[in-house]
Amino acid sequence: MPDRVPEESGLPSTYPHQDRFVAGASEAEVLAVDAIDDRGSSAGFWKGAWIGLRRRPLFIISGVMIVLVVVICLFPGLFAHQDPQLCLGSLSLQKPSGGHWFGTDLQGCDIYARTIYGARASVVVGVVTTLIVFVIGTVAGVLAGFFGGWLDVIISRLTDIFFALPLILAAIVIMQMFAQRSVWTVVTILAVFGWPQVARIARGATISIRGEDFITAAKSLGASRMRIIVAHVIPNALGPIIVICTISLGVFIVTEATLSYLGIGLPATSVSWGIDIAAGQSLLRSGNPILLYPAGALALTVLAFIMMGDALRDALDPKARTR
């Protein structure tokens, strides 16, 4: 059906004997299909990841377990009323009872109280070491991936050197050099040999981000390199870094327990899962499985952090979120 152009409009016809009708701007109606619903796109990456996490049973279960462990570490007196370092020889190897839920060990110490209070040393070592490793590894990896060149070569070769030294083996060798050891000694040794893995993950994430359009736009707007790194690179590279740090936290807890089990970690006077496991191994052959209590607590704690790392990996991986 041909459109019609009023004669007063002054517009020529497109074809002979065919007129056009041009509507004014005020008469044009914007249909609903022309409107864009951007409510879903405004959620952002992190909000979308959080929404996905809340729907994952793995995240909920591991989160409840981690919160319980943190509460036990902060307020062990709420869960155990016995003194973990009060040992009476007359109570040696008592079976579980109302006064001693897990029984007593060879020295007459309450196993339940030592299991509860032993969480503090192991978890403190894991959390503090992870925070130090996160800072060092993220800074080194981001700088190497963003600037490249000789800085990338130096940091990459340095990480290769540390990767050639297994974490536990290096910790065993270095810890034997210290006559007086404490929690901070263990934290320092684990942090020195634990940062390269985080640095490598951060470097790879930075390399994949530095060529994105939003980085180019920031450079064209005159943003400094430091501002680009802080405001754009690090926030977008945090996903895989958080995942590896969460899993590494469980690894550091196991490493501390292993060093204490071997007698080169925390002092023997400390309350630690590794020390209690070492003390109970000699009684296992006689049918007294008292080491199963600290070993079970250690296994559940590490499992909680590994499960949390798996849940975060699935939520923060864009490919996994689209599947």
Side-chain angles (χ1 to χ4, degrees):
M1 181 177 180
D3 298 329
R4 184 175 302 278
V5 180
E7 294 180 359
E8 60 272 12
S9 62
L11 296 174
S13 299
T14 306
Y15 300 101
H17 310 292
Q18 183 176 2
D19 298 333
R20 293 182 303 164
F21 179 79
V22 179
S26 60
E27 300 178 7
E29 181 181 1
V30 179
L31 301 179
V33 70
D34 295 329
I36 299 177
D37 185 6
D38 58 351
R39 289 174 295 177
S41 61
S42 62
F45 175 78
W46 292 103
K47 185 175 181 180
W50 169 245
I51 294 174
L53 278 174
R54 292 185 300 178
R55 301 174 182 174
R56 298 179 181 272
L58 189 65
F59 170 76
I60 297 175
I61 295 173
S62 61
V64 171
M65 295 173 63
I66 291 174
V67 170
L68 179 60
V69 170
V70 172
V71 173
I72 290 175
C73 294
L74 295 177
F75 310 101
L78 297 177
F79 301 88
H81 303 290
Q82 298 284 345
D83 186 354
Q85 295 182 329
L86 177 61
C87 304
L88 301 176
S90 59
L91 300 177
S92 178
L93 298 179
Q94 293 287 323
K95 293 184 178 180
S97 61
H100 306 282
W101 290 0
F102 293 168
T104 59
D105 58 11
L106 186 61
Q107 287 76 30
C109 304
D110 186 75
I111 298 175
Y112 173 74
R114 291 188 65 86
T115 302
I116 294 297
Y117 280 86
R120 176 175 292 179
S122 299
V123 174
V124 165
V125 169
V127 171
V128 176
T129 303
T130 301
L131 292 177
I132 297 175
V133 164
F134 170 78
V135 174
I136 297 176
T138 300
V139 172
V142 169
L143 292 179
F146 185 81
F147 292 102
W150 61 269
L151 183 60
D152 185 18
V153 172
I154 293 176
I155 295 178
S156 297
R157 298 295 77 79
L158 191 61
T159 56
D160 292 339
I161 293 173
F162 279 96
F163 268 120
L165 301 173
L167 177 62
I168 294 181
L169 179 60
I172 290 174
V173 174
I174 302 299
M175 289 295 293
Q176 290 181 342
M177 300 171 57
F178 295 90
Q180 300 294 331
R181 296 183 294 270
S182 64
V183 170
W184 304 112
T185 307
V186 179
V187 167
T188 302
I189 299 302
L190 295 182
V192 168
F193 292 95
W195 67 270
Q197 188 175 11
V198 178
R200 178 164 291 186
I201 297 297
R203 174 182 177 273
T206 303
I207 291 176
S208 64
I209 291 172
R210 68 182 182 184
E212 295 291 338
D213 293 338
F214 61 90
I215 299 296
T216 305
K219 292 179 180 179
S220 64
L221 292 175
S224 63
R225 292 183 176 182
M226 187 57 62
R227 178 175 176 80
I228 293 174
I229 291 175
V230 174
H232 300 286
V233 176
I234 293 180
N236 286 278
L238 278 181
I241 298 175
I242 292 175
V243 172
I244 193 62
C245 286
T246 305
I247 297 176
S248 297
L249 198 155
V251 174
F252 294 140
I253 293 176
V254 172
T255 305
E256 182 278 325
T258 303
L259 295 175
S260 299
Y261 172 82
L262 296 175
I264 55 176
L266 298 179
T269 56
S270 302
V271 181
S272 171
W273 287 334
I275 294 175
D276 290 344
I277 293 173
Q281 66 167 344
S282 60
L283 301 174
L284 186 60
R285 295 182 179 179
S286 61
N288 197 336
I290 62 174
L291 66 81
L292 296 181
Y293 299 110
L298 174 64
L300 290 176
T301 302
V302 175
L303 177 63
F305 285 105
I306 292 178
M307 291 169 57
M308 178 62 72
D310 291 339
L312 291 175
R313 180 186 58 194
D314 295 338
L316 298 179
D317 184 6
K319 296 181 180 179
R321 292 173 59 187
T322 56
R323 289 198 294 264

